[in-house]
Amino acid sequence: MYAQLQSKKGIQLFMEQHVFAVWDFMSLLKSLQRGMTCVEVPWVPVGTASSRRLINEIVWGEESDIGEDGKASSHFELYRQSMIQIGASTEKIDAFIDQLKAKTPLEKAIDALEVNLETKNFMKFTFSAIETGKLHVIAAVFTFGREDLIPDMFIEIVNELSNKKEVQASQLVYYLNRHIEVDGGEHGPMSLQMIEELCGNDTKKWEEAVTYSRTAMAMRIQLWDGILRSLN
């Protein structure tokens, strides 16, 4: 799929689908924070202090990182801004967010989207994992169901198109490099440690984590296949 992203139009089409995967990642993250820390008043200690620190550090980085302009921003908002700069449409993701703010049921809002079926199925699987209420399952999908690291090929393509003045992509390049720096250098190891703490010595939990991780990877491949079909 990445080999097909050789034009401005290709990158735009990719981002218009992929933004929904960037968005639903945040719901996995917040589900983990809700389950591993106390978000109620009055406050009481929940879980272990080390687990609370792990998830809060990841939330801090993903929900309030620093953008190219030096201002605080979530990674989702960084991605959306990079879409605007590169000329990709944010109409569908914006309308979707507006529907959720208006309390439209999630499944209804997803079904109404005019995006690839694979993109819809990807999001539905994400929320099916969340609905299990099992933190080890959610953590497994969070850790293994997303991009491990963005391929260097993609950054090279974006840089090449940018150097040729075919696209304005400084914000996208910043986002990709930040994604690599944070997920590879900090959040990746933290996520693995979180799964170890949540599963512990429970064989059933490890089996469920593996099963959901494999399904999450399969859903990711289907998402890519859908985008590839659009590109072709």
Side-chain angles (χ1 to χ4, degrees), residues 19-51:
V19 67
F20 289 94
V22 176
W23 167 78
D24 80 351
F25 174 83
M26 293 302 298
S27 289
L28 285 168
L29 177 61
K30 298 302 282 188
S31 295
L32 288 168
Q33 186 185 38
R34 184 176 61 189
M36 296 172 66
T37 70
C38 180
V39 292
E40 305 294 336
V41 176
W43 179 89
V44 294
V46 172
T48 66
S50 60
S51 293

Side-chain angles (χ1 to χ4, degrees), residues 158-167:
V158 174
N159 279 327
E160 184 176 349
L161 290 173
S162 184
N163 291 335
K164 291 179 180 178
K165 308 301 183 183
E166 293 184 31
V167 296

Side-chain angles (χ1 to χ4, degrees), residues 96-122:
F96 178 70
I97 296 295
D98 286 342
Q99 286 291 306
L100 297 180
K101 288 180 178 179
K103 305 302 181 182
T104 300
L106 175 64
E107 189 160 356
K108 182 178 179 181
I110 292 176
D111 286 337
L113 281 168
E114 294 182 4
V115 296
N116 292 344
L117 177 62
E118 293 87 350
T119 303
K120 294 182 181 183
N121 289 341
F122 183 88

Side-chain angles (χ1 to χ4, degrees), residues 13 18 21 27 97 102 106 116 147 153 159 181 215 229-230:
L13 288 171
H18 181 242
S27 289
I97 296 295
L106 175 64
N116 292 344
E147 301 99 328
M153 179 195 304
N159 279 327
E181 179 183 352
T215 305
R229 188 184 67 249
S230 298

